[in-house]
Amino acid sequence: MYPTRKRLLAAAALWAAASVLAPGCGAGRPAHAPAPPSATGCAEALAKARAAVARAERTGAAWKGPTTGPAAAPGKTLVYVAQTMTNPGVAQVAEGVREAAADIGWNVRVIDGEGTPAGIQAALGQAVTLKPDGIVIGGFDPRLTQRETARAQAGGIPLIGWHAVGSPGPSTDPRLFTNVTTRLEEVAGISADWVVARSGGSGGAVLFTDDSIPFARTKAELVRRRLAECPGVALLATENIPIPDAGQRTPQEVSSLLARFGDRWTDSVAINDLYFADAAPALRAAGRPGGGPPFNIGAGDGDPSAFQRINSRGFQAATVPEPLNQQGWQIVDEFNRAFAGRPASGYVAPVHVVTAENSGGATSWDPQGYREAYRRIWHGS
């Protein structure tokens, strides 16, 4: 749900084995490699992590979202208020909303909050003034815009969030018909599990986050807790870098981390993939191979640039992607339920992990069957 710059990072190399930071479950090794017989420090956590990652890496699952609901309401207009359209996750969901709205016969207008509190407040205020049938809270906390959301509620305009609060489903404070997102604890947990599984339970991790965003702060804390279940994986540092400053600060911080920890830094988790786009120049300048170490996993959103880095082994090894386009379609379907006086669908996309081995060369995570399912709901065919 955070901004980045699109970059194609062409880098390829075989990874070098990482040295051990602390005793635990064995030296750094490829994902899912068995731990040596002497490794007992986090054997249970390692086994659980490997099983969870194996499930999350599966592809080709059938659609398990809604298959029934109200027929398409005619002639509706939505306004999508974006935290910032330079955020590829926010932008891709907006495209999904546009695509679905065209299919159902609605109009959509996108207003860019440009990533600042003042800009977001102004954008939401403008959206309310337009008196649309519904407003999307695209990637920002509506508690930061209480005056504007109160105006929307007073005007009878339903609000649906994308990554607006920490949990999926309806919200009473702030009041949202529903919030579309994967489960935060699942995304954080599988990201940490991937590090444990990949390292064989021993290594040193760095966590990149933005504590100014409550959603990101909670995600980072959940990652820390899961990593702590395997003492063999030490959390070397937590880098609190605000998203708007990531382009400038991340390369500097990465250079500092390399100087401080050297080969002890084997893995990274970031609350968003964008940090690895910004980390790549510093890693490359230090002579690090594009395929790692450090082996980097993004705990959301799985935008196209992240897939490109993963597929080219360009300083990112994995991501936990949101099905961004599908979530745009879900937002439209949820509004259709709201307009019909029906409850929210309750659907939450399952957690998924993408690597070069299972991506199939794709540049997004786009599950099968959702377009057909929603069209049958809306149009009966």
Side-chain angles (χ1 to χ4, degrees):
M1 58 180 280
Y2 317 110
T4 186
R5 287 137 298 282
K6 291 185 178 179
R7 297 174 183 161
L8 296 175
L9 305 174
L14 298 175
W15 68 270
S19 61
V20 179
L21 170 67
C25 299
R29 56 185 63 82
H32 318 313
S38 61
T40 58
C42 58
E44 183 178 356
L46 178 57
K48 289 181 179 179
R50 285 176 172 158
V53 171
R55 289 191 299 270
E57 288 180 343
R58 294 172 186 164
T59 59
W63 171 247
K64 295 183 179 179
T67 56
T68 61
K76 300 296 184 180
T77 296
L78 306 179
V79 175
Y80 184 101
V81 179
Q83 180 240 357
T84 171
M85 287 297 283
T86 62
N87 174 332
V90 170
Q92 186 60 51
V93 173
E95 285 304 308
V97 170
R98 285 188 178 113
E99 182 184 287
D103 191 279
I104 203 172
W106 297 354
N107 297 312
V108 176
R109 177 170 175 176
V110 175
I111 302 178
D112 191 346
E114 299 180 346
T116 67
I120 292 168
Q121 290 168 1
L124 185 54
Q126 182 182 355
V128 175
T129 300
L130 292 172
K131 298 181 179 180
D133 297 291
I135 295 174
V136 183
I137 305 296
F140 62 90
D141 186 347
R143 285 167 289 204
L144 302 175
T145 56
Q146 291 182 352
R147 181 183 302 176
E148 291 78 14
T149 54
R151 286 178 54 207
Q153 291 161 10
I157 303 172
L159 304 175
I160 289 179
W162 179 80
H163 284 208
V165 294
S167 300
S171 172
T172 56
D173 183 22
R175 185 172 298 279
L176 301 173
F177 178 76
T178 195
N179 181 54
V180 176
T181 181
T182 49
R183 288 188 173 89
L184 187 63
E185 61 273 17
E186 292 182 358
V187 173
I190 201 65
S191 302
D193 284 345
W194 185 89
V195 168
V196 172
R198 191 225 61 79
S199 67
S202 180
V206 171
L207 175 60
F208 295 91
T209 187
D210 180 351
D211 283 347
S212 70
I213 302 171
F215 189 92
R217 185 169 61 247
T218 301
K219 186 188 292 187
E221 178 57 30
L222 291 169
V223 170
R224 279 191 287 265
R225 292 178 187 176
R226 183 64 67 88
L227 286 175
E229 295 178 9
C230 181
V233 178
L235 183 59
L236 302 176
T238 297
E239 295 297 321
N240 176 25
I241 302 174
I243 294 296
D245 300 336
Q248 179 180 2
R249 285 189 51 189
T250 302
Q252 299 171 358
E253 296 299 335
V254 167
S255 296
S256 176
L257 289 165
L258 289 169
R260 290 165 60 194
F261 300 116
D263 288 343
R264 291 184 293 161
W265 179 14
T266 63
D267 297 270
S268 309
V269 182
I271 53 90
N272 189 273
D273 300 294
L274 73 92
Y275 290 100
F276 301 131
D278 296 318
L283 292 169
R284 186 183 297 111
R288 292 304 180 100
F295 298 91
N296 300 320
I297 182 168
D301 295 319
D303 66 89
S305 66
F307 275 73
Q308 290 158 1
R309 288 190 295 276
I310 291 166
N311 291 336
S312 66
R313 290 176 170 82
F315 302 100
Q316 185 167 351
T319 187
V320 184
E322 300 275 349
L324 299 171
N325 203 73
Q326 177 269 314
Q327 289 174 332
W329 280 66
Q330 182 180 348
I331 287 169
V332 170
D333 182 66
E334 302 290 5
F335 273 119
N336 196 51
R337 293 168 192 271
F339 299 150
R342 304 282 189 88
S345 72
Y347 177 66
V348 181
V351 72
H352 182 58
V353 172
V354 168
T355 66
E357 287 69 34
N358 72 349
S359 73
T363 58
S364 66
W365 171 234
D366 202 32
Q368 301 176 3
Y370 67 87
R371 290 180 178 87
E372 295 79 6
Y374 285 128
R375 285 167 178 154
R376 283 192 294 268
I377 293 171
W378 301 338
H379 309 303
S381 60

